[in-house]
Amino acid sequence: MSNYIYITRHGQSQWNVEKKVQGVTDTPLTQQGIEQAHALALKLKEEKIHVDEILYSPLSRAADTARIIAEENKLPLTLEPRLIEQNFGEYEGHEWTKHPGVFHEVKKQFACDYNGGESMLRLGQRIYNLIDELKERSLKENKTFLLVSHGGVVRMFHSYFFSESNEDFVSTSIENCEIRKYVFK
């Protein structure tokens, strides 16, 4: 009976380098991002991290990361549309250095949809429902999943397992291809 789940963020993308909010904008991996995915695939082997199936976001930066990990570890891959990054509406393409702190503050407004994007509340509904389903599947099928997704999704995922203040929530981050393990309670 599996009682844990893994999540990782995609490898470095072009907009990570350019320090832009990418949300649902489909930006490709850089060469470094590809190398990070290979390094994570190797880490799974070397550290004997048991995974039965990889679920991944449809955006290419996550899908390409997932494919590399899956191919090198001979793991099945499943597209999971709910793992797509949050739509940040008018903030898509926002340059962090031109407007420092602005996006960080607006993320604290959980009902705000960024003028046409997806609110934190909607993201939470989508991710929490997915986690509930995966918890049930994990226990029922004795499967351990690795989710390959995005920073905003990982932030919401983390909040499912830990109580946080709004400031803690918006400050939660994960490095490209960092892997985290969460235990179902």
Side-chain angles (χ1 to χ4, degrees):
M1 175 165 80
S2 179
N3 66 343
Y4 56 90
I5 190 167
Y6 293 99
I7 192 165
T8 190
R9 181 178 173 211
H10 58 79
Q12 181 190 69
S13 70
Q14 187 58 45
W15 275 19
N16 290 147
V17 173
E18 295 173 17
K19 298 189 185 327
K20 291 181 179 179
V21 176
Q22 49 198 331
V24 294
T25 304
D26 203 3
T27 57
L29 291 175
T30 62
Q31 184 57 44
Q32 182 176 338
I34 293 167
E35 291 165 10
Q36 289 169 330
H38 285 291
L40 180 53
L42 182 60
K43 178 178 179 149
L44 262 63
K45 285 181 199 173
E46 289 180 347
E47 295 184 14
K48 297 181 180 10
I49 297 172
H50 176 79
V51 171
D52 294 300
E53 184 178 350
I54 296 175
L55 306 177
Y56 65 96
S57 159
L59 295 175
S60 65
R61 59 191 184 269
D64 292 344
T65 300
R67 281 188 202 97
I68 291 168
I69 297 166
E71 285 172 11
E72 292 184 21
N73 287 278
K74 297 176 179 53
L75 293 168
L77 270 173
T78 302
L79 173 66
E80 175 47 72
R82 291 174 289 182
L83 288 173
I84 196 167
E85 179 61 292
Q86 183 176 8
N87 182 335
F88 294 118
E90 68 181 320
Y91 289 93
E92 296 274 328
H94 172 93
E95 294 180 43
W96 296 96
T97 53
K98 286 188 178 177
H99 308 284
V102 172
F103 186 58
H104 180 82
E105 288 304 312
V106 85
K107 285 190 292 185
K108 294 179 188 176
Q109 309 305 315
F110 286 7
C112 174
D113 73 357
Y114 313 108
N115 291 323
E118 179 183 27
S119 72
M120 289 290 179
L121 294 174
R122 294 273 183 211
L123 173 66
Q125 177 184 27
R126 157 165 75 89
I127 298 305
Y128 281 25
N129 288 345
L130 174 62
I131 295 169
D132 286 341
E133 289 173 25
L134 292 176
K135 178 180 179 180
E136 187 176 315
R137 278 189 63 200
S138 184
L139 297 173
K140 187 177 178 180
E141 300 172 25
N142 193 29
K143 274 189 160 182
T144 300
F145 298 99
L146 168 61
L147 311 180
V148 181
S149 195
H150 309 274
V153 170
V154 171
R155 180 181 306 108
M156 189 59 70
F157 191 89
H158 184 80
S159 76
Y160 179 95
F161 292 90
F162 297 98
S163 179
E164 301 175 293
S165 68
N166 285 1
E167 185 60 40
D168 289 340
F169 174 82
V170 298
S171 298
T172 296
S173 63
I174 185 170
E175 297 298 319
N176 295 108
C177 285
E178 176 184 342
I179 189 170
R180 292 192 182 158
K181 179 180 182 178
Y182 291 88
V183 178
F184 293 123
K185 294 179 181 161

